[in-house]
Amino acid sequence: MFPEIGHFALTLALALACAQAVLPLMGAHWRDSRLMGSAAPLALGSTLAVIIAFGALVAAYVLNDTTVVNVVQNSHSAKPLLYKISGVWGNHEGSMLLWLLVLALCGAAVAGFGRNLPSALQARVLAILGLILAGFALFMLMTSNPFTRMWPPAPDGQGLNPLLQDPGLAFHPPLLYGGYVGTAVTFAFAVAALLEGRVDAAWGAWVRPWALGAWAFLTAGITLGSWWAYYELGWGGYWFWDPVENASLLPWLATTALLHSAIVVEKRGALKIWTVLLALLAFALSLLGTFMVRSGVLNSVHSFAADPARGVFILGMLIFYVGGAFALFAWRAPSMVPQGTFAPISREGALVLNNLLLCCIAAVVLVGTLYPLFLDLIFGRLISVGPPFFNTATLPLALPLIAAMALGPLMPWKRAALWPVVQRLWWAALITAGAFVAAWTVMGVPFWPALGFGAGIWLIAGAKADIWERIQLFRVPFRTSLTRARGLPFSAWGAAIAHAGLGVSALGVAGMGLASETLVALSPGQSTNFAGYEWRLEAVRDAQGPNWTARRAEVTVTRDGRAVVTLFPQRRYFPIGRSTTTEAAISTNLMRDLYAVLGEEREGQAVLRIHDNVLAPWIWLGGLIMGLGALVSLGDRRVRVAAPQRRAKAVSA
């Protein structure tokens, strides 16, 4: 019964989304308040329908309904309940239904929290979201229906991919989809503004919280995915420039640029055309990532599907939505007269530099990701573009970006002088230079990791300097500074926290440049010395899990004869699916990770790969701090309900 309810609800969602896409647009064009007023109820109705459909699929998984093809292919009665539920989006069909759910919830949020928007703008935004919702609902019903029945029912399911049976992967997709779909909201605002032919400071204020929310979800999703790859895949790294990893990085870069550009639109009325273009580009990159993951053009542990028919459908949606939006942009952009002139050296100029460098990095990542695909398609040549290319190409762009991040917030709007800003940061520059020189010359750290340490400290010091300048610390009485600190808007605190979080991540990345690893084969009772520690293999025993068996090693780590930690790396075998995974054992003190992976056993010896990863936890700690900064900014009432009243157009005599 649940599959039929879900299928009907999905069909109803398609019908309501089609009405949501058409009626409000007609109302906005004809200035019909009744048709425009239908947008919010239709958005709420389609959201309710998608919630019912998603709940029906969850019920089918929890009850292990083996008459549903999707359940049989991706679940099993022996799975723990958490992975039965997360298995709903651990496959192509279920993940698309999750995408649809997040998109519908975003539409409901615009309907509920957008009451301060002009009725015509809200109607157009909800109509565009309805059009996107209709496209994805149609895609699911035609090519990816999660409620397809089979008869006779299977005895049991085939189980979920063992790599996905992990708490990190249970929460990673919902967070990442929140970011992907968040770009659909900013896209809808951009298209609505193009239809209306008007972009102003009020529009920038309305777009900014949605861009900030999308950025926060993308940051959290990417951080969690990187952490999962670090401890679950067992290769000891945090980022491999995998094409699907790049597919999530691209919209993050575009959304970061959009977030900063929207500030200029809101504060100065400048960069309107550029901001609209970034809003379109961020969603285009999200759709492109969806196409790459689900079309079969990429081979990756992160890929969901390899069905060319689905890929063609998504490519058609990409052309329709993005191509139509860019055609509208080409038509309307010339009529948007630039305003708010500013000098190159100003806060606006720093934000423009920020945007250009972020877009250049995105272009490098996009070319490096797509070039092998086009080369294979046109010339039939298979090549691999890996970390050496991306690291070499992006580093020269990242360094000036980091330098400008500390300078920009201290510059005044419209016009600034560079020397006074540099003077305010003299102590930060001194600390940065001292850290770099000490790491490179005194501690013997290689040049690039030492430069990374300097960059991280520069970002943290720059964020602190921004707050100190705002509260006039050490320049006015401390009580006055404390009063000014209490009066600072949350958005200022959030920006400083996010910039500092990026600095913490930069320190972690630099520390990983000092990481070391070794591969040893040990018999029980034998030990090896590595990174100043003695690693002793005590035993290798069998272990039993809810739906797996394992070989578990016991490794004692000592230093100077004193026990430090005991690690238990595992190799798990999943009979359902007949696959093996590694479970790394990690001990951290936040300054370094002691990391062990159990390999094959040969002739009574176990192969161990052990790592000493310096400052590795700081990579993900920085991501958490960046997400915290976004939440603090969203706590600013002026961001959450930013909706200044538009000035009435002067009526000509």
Coordinates of all heavy atoms in Angstrom, one line a residue, residues 4-79:
E4 N 2.0 2.5 -3.5 CA 1.0 3.1 -4.2 C 0.7 4.5 -3.7 O 0.5 5.5 -4.5 CB -0.3 2.3 -4.2 CG -0.3 1.0 -5.1 CD 0.7 0.0 -4.6 OE1 0.9 -0.1 -3.3 OE2 1.2 -0.8 -5.4
I5 N 0.7 4.7 -2.4 CA 0.5 6.0 -1.9 C 1.6 7.0 -2.3 O 1.4 8.1 -2.7 CB 0.4 6.0 -0.3 CG1 -0.9 5.2 0.1 CG2 0.4 7.4 0.3 CD1 -1.0 5.0 1.6
G6 N 2.8 6.5 -2.2 CA 4.0 7.3 -2.6 C 3.9 7.6 -4.1 O 4.2 8.8 -4.5
H7 N 3.5 6.7 -4.9 CA 3.5 7.0 -6.4 C 2.4 8.0 -6.7 O 2.6 8.9 -7.5 CB 3.2 5.6 -7.1 CG 3.4 5.8 -8.6 ND1 3.2 4.7 -9.5 CD2 3.8 6.8 -9.4 CE1 3.4 5.1 -10.7 NE2 3.8 6.3 -10.7
F8 N 1.3 7.8 -6.0 CA 0.2 8.8 -6.2 C 0.6 10.2 -5.7 O 0.3 11.2 -6.4 CB -1.1 8.4 -5.5 CG -2.2 9.4 -5.5 CD1 -3.0 9.5 -6.6 CD2 -2.4 10.2 -4.4 CE1 -4.0 10.5 -6.7 CE2 -3.4 11.1 -4.4 CZ -4.2 11.3 -5.6
A9 N 1.3 10.2 -4.6 CA 1.7 11.5 -4.0 C 2.7 12.2 -4.9 O 2.7 13.4 -5.1 CB 2.3 11.3 -2.6
L10 N 3.6 11.4 -5.5 CA 4.6 12.0 -6.5 C 3.9 12.5 -7.7 O 4.3 13.6 -8.2 CB 5.6 10.9 -6.8 CG 6.9 11.3 -7.6 CD1 7.6 12.4 -6.8 CD2 7.8 10.1 -7.9
T11 N 2.9 11.8 -8.2 CA 2.2 12.3 -9.4 C 1.4 13.6 -9.0 O 1.4 14.5 -9.8 CB 1.2 11.2 -9.9 OG1 1.9 10.0 -10.1 CG2 0.5 11.6 -11.1
L12 N 0.8 13.6 -7.8 CA 0.1 14.8 -7.4 C 1.1 16.0 -7.2 O 0.8 17.1 -7.6 CB -0.5 14.5 -6.0 CG -1.3 15.7 -5.4 CD1 -2.4 16.2 -6.3 CD2 -1.8 15.3 -4.0
A13 N 2.3 15.7 -6.7 CA 3.3 16.8 -6.6 C 3.7 17.3 -8.0 O 3.8 18.6 -8.2 CB 4.6 16.2 -5.9
L14 N 3.7 16.5 -9.0 CA 4.0 16.9 -10.4 C 2.9 17.9 -10.8 O 3.2 18.9 -11.4 CB 4.2 15.7 -11.3 CG 4.3 16.1 -12.8 CD1 5.5 17.0 -13.1 CD2 4.3 14.8 -13.6
A15 N 1.6 17.5 -10.6 CA 0.5 18.3 -11.1 C 0.5 19.6 -10.3 O 0.3 20.7 -11.0 CB -0.8 17.5 -10.8
L16 N 0.7 19.6 -9.0 CA 0.7 20.9 -8.3 C 1.9 21.8 -8.7 O 1.8 23.0 -8.7 CB 0.8 20.6 -6.8 CG -0.5 19.9 -6.2 CD1 -0.2 19.5 -4.7 CD2 -1.7 20.9 -6.3
A17 N 3.1 21.1 -8.9 CA 4.2 21.9 -9.4 C 4.0 22.6 -10.7 O 4.4 23.7 -10.9 CB 5.5 21.0 -9.4
C18 N 3.3 21.9 -11.6 CA 3.0 22.5 -12.9 C 2.1 23.7 -12.7 O 2.3 24.7 -13.4 CB 2.3 21.4 -13.8 SG 3.5 20.1 -14.4
A19 N 1.1 23.5 -11.9 CA 0.2 24.7 -11.6 C 1.0 25.8 -10.9 O 0.8 27.0 -11.2 CB -1.0 24.2 -10.7
Q20 N 1.9 25.4 -10.0 CA 2.7 26.5 -9.4 C 3.6 27.2 -10.3 O 3.9 28.4 -10.2 CB 3.6 25.8 -8.3 CG 4.5 26.7 -7.5 CD 5.4 25.9 -6.5 OE1 5.0 24.8 -6.1 NE2 6.5 26.5 -6.2
A21 N 4.0 26.5 -11.4 CA 4.9 27.1 -12.4 C 4.2 28.1 -13.3 O 4.8 29.0 -13.9 CB 5.6 26.0 -13.2
V22 N 2.9 27.8 -13.5 CA 2.1 28.6 -14.5 C 1.3 29.7 -14.0 O 1.4 30.9 -14.4 CB 1.2 27.6 -15.4 CG1 0.4 28.4 -16.3 CG2 2.1 26.6 -16.1
L23 N 0.4 29.4 -13.0 CA -0.5 30.4 -12.5 C 0.1 31.6 -11.9 O -0.3 32.7 -12.2 CB -1.5 29.7 -11.5 CG -2.3 28.5 -12.0 CD1 -3.2 28.0 -11.0 CD2 -3.2 29.0 -13.2
P24 N 1.1 31.5 -11.0 CA 1.7 32.7 -10.4 C 2.4 33.6 -11.5 O 2.3 34.8 -11.4 CB 2.7 32.2 -9.4 CG 2.2 30.8 -9.1 CD 1.6 30.3 -10.3
L25 N 3.0 33.0 -12.5 CA 3.6 33.7 -13.6 C 2.6 34.5 -14.3 O 2.8 35.7 -14.7 CB 4.4 32.8 -14.5 CG 5.8 32.5 -14.1 CD1 6.5 31.6 -15.2 CD2 6.7 33.7 -13.8
M26 N 1.4 33.9 -14.6 CA 0.4 34.6 -15.3 C -0.2 35.7 -14.4 O -0.4 36.9 -14.9 CB -0.8 33.6 -15.6 CG -0.4 32.5 -16.6 SD -1.7 31.2 -16.8 CE -3.1 32.2 -17.2
G27 N -0.3 35.5 -13.1 CA -0.8 36.5 -12.2 C 0.2 37.7 -12.2 O -0.2 38.9 -12.1
A28 N 1.5 37.4 -12.1 CA 2.5 38.5 -12.1 C 2.5 39.3 -13.3 O 2.7 40.5 -13.3 CB 3.9 37.9 -11.8
H29 N 2.3 38.6 -14.5 CA 2.3 39.3 -15.7 C 1.0 40.2 -15.9 O 1.1 41.3 -16.4 CB 2.3 38.3 -16.9 CG 2.3 39.0 -18.2 ND1 3.4 39.7 -18.7 CD2 1.4 39.0 -19.2 CE1 3.1 40.1 -19.9 NE2 1.9 39.7 -20.3
W30 N -0.1 39.7 -15.4 CA -1.4 40.4 -15.6 C -1.7 41.3 -14.3 O -2.8 41.9 -14.3 CB -2.5 39.4 -15.8 CG -2.5 38.7 -17.1 CD1 -1.8 39.1 -18.2 CD2 -3.0 37.4 -17.4 NE1 -2.0 38.2 -19.2 CE2 -2.7 37.2 -18.8 CE3 -3.7 36.5 -16.7 CZ2 -3.1 36.0 -19.4 CZ3 -4.1 35.3 -17.3 CH2 -3.8 35.1 -18.7
R31 N -0.9 41.2 -13.3 CA -1.1 41.9 -12.0 C -2.4 41.4 -11.4 O -3.2 42.2 -10.8 CB -1.1 43.4 -12.2 CG 0.2 44.0 -12.8 CD 1.3 43.8 -11.7 NE 2.6 44.2 -12.2 CZ 3.7 44.1 -11.5 NH1 3.7 43.6 -10.3 NH2 4.9 44.5 -12.0
D32 N -2.7 40.2 -11.5 CA -3.8 39.6 -10.9 C -3.5 39.0 -9.5 O -2.8 38.0 -9.4 CB -4.4 38.4 -11.8 CG -5.7 37.9 -11.3 OD1 -5.9 37.8 -10.1 OD2 -6.5 37.6 -12.2
S33 N -4.0 39.7 -8.5 CA -3.6 39.3 -7.1 C -4.1 37.9 -6.7 O -3.4 37.2 -5.9 CB -4.2 40.3 -6.1 OG -5.6 40.4 -6.2
R34 N -5.2 37.5 -7.3 CA -5.7 36.1 -6.9 C -4.7 35.0 -7.5 O -4.4 34.1 -6.8 CB -7.1 35.9 -7.5 CG -8.1 36.7 -6.8 CD -9.5 36.5 -7.4 NE -9.5 37.0 -8.9 CZ -10.5 36.8 -9.7 NH1 -11.6 36.3 -9.3 NH2 -10.4 37.2 -10.9
L35 N -4.3 35.2 -8.7 CA -3.4 34.2 -9.3 C -2.0 34.3 -8.6 O -1.4 33.2 -8.3 CB -3.2 34.5 -10.8 CG -4.4 34.2 -11.7 CD1 -4.1 34.5 -13.1 CD2 -4.8 32.7 -11.6
M36 N -1.5 35.5 -8.3 CA -0.3 35.6 -7.5 C -0.4 35.0 -6.2 O 0.5 34.3 -5.7 CB 0.1 37.0 -7.4 CG 0.7 37.6 -8.7 SD 1.5 39.2 -8.5 CE 0.1 40.3 -8.1
G37 N -1.6 35.1 -5.5 CA -1.8 34.6 -4.2 C -1.9 33.1 -4.2 O -1.8 32.5 -3.1
S38 N -2.0 32.4 -5.4 CA -2.1 31.0 -5.4 C -0.7 30.4 -5.3 O -0.6 29.1 -5.1 CB -2.7 30.5 -6.8 OG -1.8 30.8 -7.9
A39 N 0.4 31.2 -5.4 CA 1.7 30.6 -5.4 C 2.0 29.9 -4.1 O 2.5 28.8 -4.1 CB 2.7 31.7 -5.7
A40 N 1.8 30.6 -3.0 CA 2.1 30.0 -1.7 C 1.3 28.7 -1.4 O 1.9 27.7 -1.0 CB 2.0 31.1 -0.6
P41 N 0.0 28.7 -1.5 CA -0.7 27.5 -1.3 C -0.3 26.3 -2.2 O -0.2 25.2 -1.7 CB -2.2 27.9 -1.5 CG -2.2 29.4 -1.3 CD -0.9 29.9 -1.8
L42 N 0.0 26.6 -3.4 CA 0.4 25.6 -4.3 C 1.8 25.0 -3.9 O 2.1 23.8 -3.9 CB 0.5 26.1 -5.8 CG -0.8 26.3 -6.5 CD1 -0.7 27.0 -7.8 CD2 -1.5 24.9 -6.7
A43 N 2.7 25.9 -3.5 CA 4.0 25.5 -3.0 C 3.9 24.6 -1.7 O 4.6 23.6 -1.6 CB 4.9 26.7 -2.7
L44 N 3.0 25.0 -0.8 CA 2.8 24.2 0.4 C 2.2 22.9 0.0 O 2.5 21.8 0.6 CB 1.9 25.0 1.4 CG 2.6 26.3 1.9 CD1 1.6 27.0 2.8 CD2 3.8 26.0 2.7
G45 N 1.2 22.9 -0.9 CA 0.6 21.6 -1.3 C 1.6 20.7 -2.0 O 1.6 19.5 -1.7
S46 N 2.4 21.2 -2.9 CA 3.4 20.3 -3.5 C 4.4 19.8 -2.5 O 4.8 18.6 -2.6 CB 4.1 21.0 -4.6 OG 4.8 22.2 -4.2
T47 N 4.7 20.6 -1.5 CA 5.6 20.2 -0.4 C 5.0 19.0 0.4 O 5.7 18.0 0.7 CB 6.0 21.3 0.5 OG1 6.6 22.4 -0.3 CG2 6.9 20.9 1.6
L48 N 3.7 19.2 0.7 CA 3.1 18.1 1.5 C 3.0 16.8 0.7 O 3.2 15.7 1.2 CB 1.6 18.6 1.8 CG 0.8 17.6 2.6 CD1 1.4 17.2 3.9 CD2 -0.6 18.1 2.8
A49 N 2.8 16.9 -0.6 CA 2.7 15.7 -1.5 C 4.1 15.0 -1.5 O 4.2 13.8 -1.4 CB 2.3 16.1 -2.9
V50 N 5.2 15.8 -1.6 CA 6.5 15.2 -1.7 C 6.9 14.6 -0.3 O 7.5 13.5 -0.3 CB 7.6 16.3 -2.1 CG1 9.0 15.7 -2.0 CG2 7.3 16.8 -3.5
I51 N 6.5 15.2 0.8 CA 6.7 14.7 2.1 C 6.0 13.3 2.2 O 6.6 12.3 2.8 CB 6.2 15.6 3.2 CG1 7.1 16.9 3.3 CG2 6.2 14.9 4.6 CD1 6.6 17.9 4.2
I52 N 4.8 13.2 1.7 CA 4.1 11.9 1.8 C 4.8 10.9 1.0 O 5.0 9.7 1.4 CB 2.6 12.1 1.3 CG1 1.9 13.0 2.3 CG2 1.9 10.8 1.1 CD1 0.5 13.4 1.8
A53 N 5.2 11.3 -0.2 CA 6.0 10.3 -1.1 C 7.2 9.8 -0.4 O 7.6 8.6 -0.4 CB 6.3 11.0 -2.4
F54 N 8.0 10.8 0.2 CA 9.2 10.4 0.8 C 9.0 9.5 2.0 O 9.7 8.5 2.3 CB 10.0 11.7 1.3 CG 11.4 11.4 1.7 CD1 12.4 11.2 0.9 CD2 11.7 11.3 3.1 CE1 13.7 11.0 1.3 CE2 12.9 11.1 3.6 CZ 14.0 10.9 2.7
G55 N 7.9 9.9 2.8 CA 7.6 9.0 4.0 C 7.2 7.6 3.6 O 7.5 6.6 4.3
A56 N 6.5 7.5 2.4 CA 6.1 6.2 1.9 C 7.3 5.3 1.6 O 7.3 4.1 1.9 CB 5.2 6.3 0.7
L57 N 8.3 6.0 1.0 CA 9.5 5.2 0.6 C 10.3 4.8 1.9 O 10.8 3.7 2.0 CB 10.4 6.0 -0.3 CG 11.6 5.3 -0.9 CD1 11.2 4.1 -1.7 CD2 12.5 6.2 -1.7
V58 N 10.4 5.7 2.9 CA 11.0 5.3 4.2 C 10.3 4.2 4.8 O 10.9 3.2 5.3 CB 11.0 6.6 5.1 CG1 11.5 6.2 6.5 CG2 11.9 7.7 4.6
A59 N 8.9 4.2 4.8 CA 8.2 3.1 5.4 C 8.5 1.8 4.7 O 8.6 0.7 5.3 CB 6.7 3.4 5.3
A60 N 8.6 1.8 3.3 CA 8.9 0.6 2.6 C 10.3 0.0 3.0 O 10.4 -1.2 3.1 CB 8.9 0.9 1.1
Y61 N 11.2 0.9 3.2 CA 12.5 0.5 3.6 C 12.5 -0.1 5.1 O 13.1 -1.2 5.3 CB 13.6 1.6 3.6 CG 14.3 1.7 2.2 CD1 13.7 2.2 1.1 CD2 15.6 1.2 2.1 CE1 14.3 2.3 -0.1 CE2 16.2 1.2 0.9 CZ 15.6 1.8 -0.2 OH 16.3 1.9 -1.4
V62 N 11.9 0.6 6.0 CA 11.8 0.2 7.4 C 11.1 -1.2 7.5 O 11.5 -2.1 8.2 CB 11.2 1.2 8.2 CG1 10.9 0.7 9.6 CG2 12.0 2.5 8.3
L63 N 10.0 -1.4 6.7 CA 9.3 -2.6 6.7 C 9.9 -3.7 5.9 O 9.4 -4.8 5.8 CB 7.8 -2.3 6.3 CG 7.0 -1.4 7.2 CD1 5.7 -1.1 6.6 CD2 6.9 -2.0 8.6
N64 N 11.0 -3.3 5.1 CA 11.7 -4.3 4.2 C 10.7 -4.9 3.2 O 10.6 -6.1 3.1 CB 12.4 -5.4 5.0 CG 13.4 -6.1 4.2 OD1 14.2 -5.5 3.4 ND2 13.5 -7.4 4.3
D65 N 10.0 -4.0 2.5 CA 9.0 -4.4 1.5 C 9.7 -4.9 0.3 O 10.1 -4.2 -0.6 CB 8.0 -3.3 1.2 CG 6.9 -3.7 0.3 OD1 6.9 -4.8 -0.2 OD2 5.9 -2.9 0.2
T66 N 9.8 -6.2 0.2 CA 10.6 -6.8 -0.9 C 9.8 -7.0 -2.2 O 10.2 -7.6 -3.2 CB 11.1 -8.2 -0.5 OG1 10.0 -9.0 -0.1 CG2 12.1 -8.1 0.6
T67 N 8.6 -6.3 -2.3 CA 7.9 -6.2 -3.5 C 8.3 -4.9 -4.3 O 7.8 -4.7 -5.4 CB 6.4 -6.2 -3.3 OG1 6.0 -5.0 -2.6 CG2 5.9 -7.4 -2.6
V68 N 9.1 -4.1 -3.6 CA 9.5 -2.8 -4.2 C 11.0 -3.0 -4.7 O 11.9 -3.4 -4.0 CB 9.5 -1.7 -3.2 CG1 10.0 -0.4 -3.8 CG2 8.1 -1.5 -2.7
V69 N 11.2 -2.8 -6.0 CA 12.5 -3.1 -6.7 C 13.6 -2.3 -6.0 O 14.7 -2.8 -5.7 CB 12.4 -2.7 -8.2 CG1 13.8 -2.8 -8.8 CG2 11.4 -3.6 -8.9
N70 N 13.3 -1.0 -5.6 CA 14.3 -0.2 -5.0 C 14.7 -0.7 -3.7 O 15.9 -0.6 -3.3 CB 13.8 1.3 -4.9 CG 14.8 2.3 -4.5 OD1 14.9 2.6 -3.3 ND2 15.6 2.7 -5.4
V71 N 13.8 -1.2 -2.9 CA 14.1 -1.8 -1.6 C 15.0 -3.1 -1.8 O 16.0 -3.3 -1.1 CB 12.8 -2.1 -0.8 CG1 13.2 -2.8 0.5 CG2 12.1 -0.8 -0.5
V72 N 14.6 -3.9 -2.7 CA 15.3 -5.1 -2.9 C 16.8 -4.9 -3.3 O 17.7 -5.5 -2.9 CB 14.6 -6.0 -4.0 CG1 15.4 -7.2 -4.4 CG2 13.2 -6.4 -3.5
Q73 N 17.0 -3.9 -4.2 CA 18.3 -3.6 -4.7 C 19.2 -2.9 -3.7 O 20.4 -2.9 -3.8 CB 18.2 -2.7 -5.9 CG 17.6 -3.4 -7.1 CD 17.4 -2.5 -8.3 OE1 17.5 -1.3 -8.2 NE2 17.2 -3.1 -9.5
N74 N 18.6 -2.3 -2.6 CA 19.4 -1.4 -1.8 C 19.2 -1.6 -0.3 O 19.7 -0.8 0.5 CB 19.1 0.1 -2.1 CG 19.4 0.4 -3.5 OD1 20.6 0.6 -3.9 ND2 18.4 0.6 -4.3
S75 N 18.5 -2.7 0.1 CA 18.3 -2.9 1.5 C 18.3 -4.4 1.9 O 18.5 -5.2 1.0 CB 17.0 -2.3 2.0 OG 16.9 -2.3 3.4
H76 N 18.2 -4.7 3.1 CA 18.2 -6.1 3.6 C 17.7 -6.1 5.0 O 17.8 -5.1 5.8 CB 19.6 -6.6 3.6 CG 19.7 -8.1 3.8 ND1 19.7 -8.7 5.1 CD2 19.7 -9.2 2.9 CE1 19.7 -10.0 4.9 NE2 19.7 -10.3 3.7
S77 N 17.0 -7.1 5.4 CA 16.4 -7.2 6.7 C 17.4 -7.2 7.8 O 17.0 -6.8 8.9 CB 15.5 -8.5 6.8 OG 16.3 -9.6 6.6
A78 N 18.6 -7.6 7.6 CA 19.6 -7.6 8.6 C 20.3 -6.3 8.9 O 21.1 -6.2 9.8 CB 20.7 -8.7 8.3
K79 N 20.0 -5.3 8.1 CA 20.7 -4.0 8.3 C 20.2 -3.3 9.5 O 19.0 -3.4 9.8 CB 20.4 -3.1 7.0 CG 21.3 -3.2 5.9 CD 21.3 -2.1 4.9 CE 19.9 -1.5 4.6 NZ 20.0 -0.4 3.7

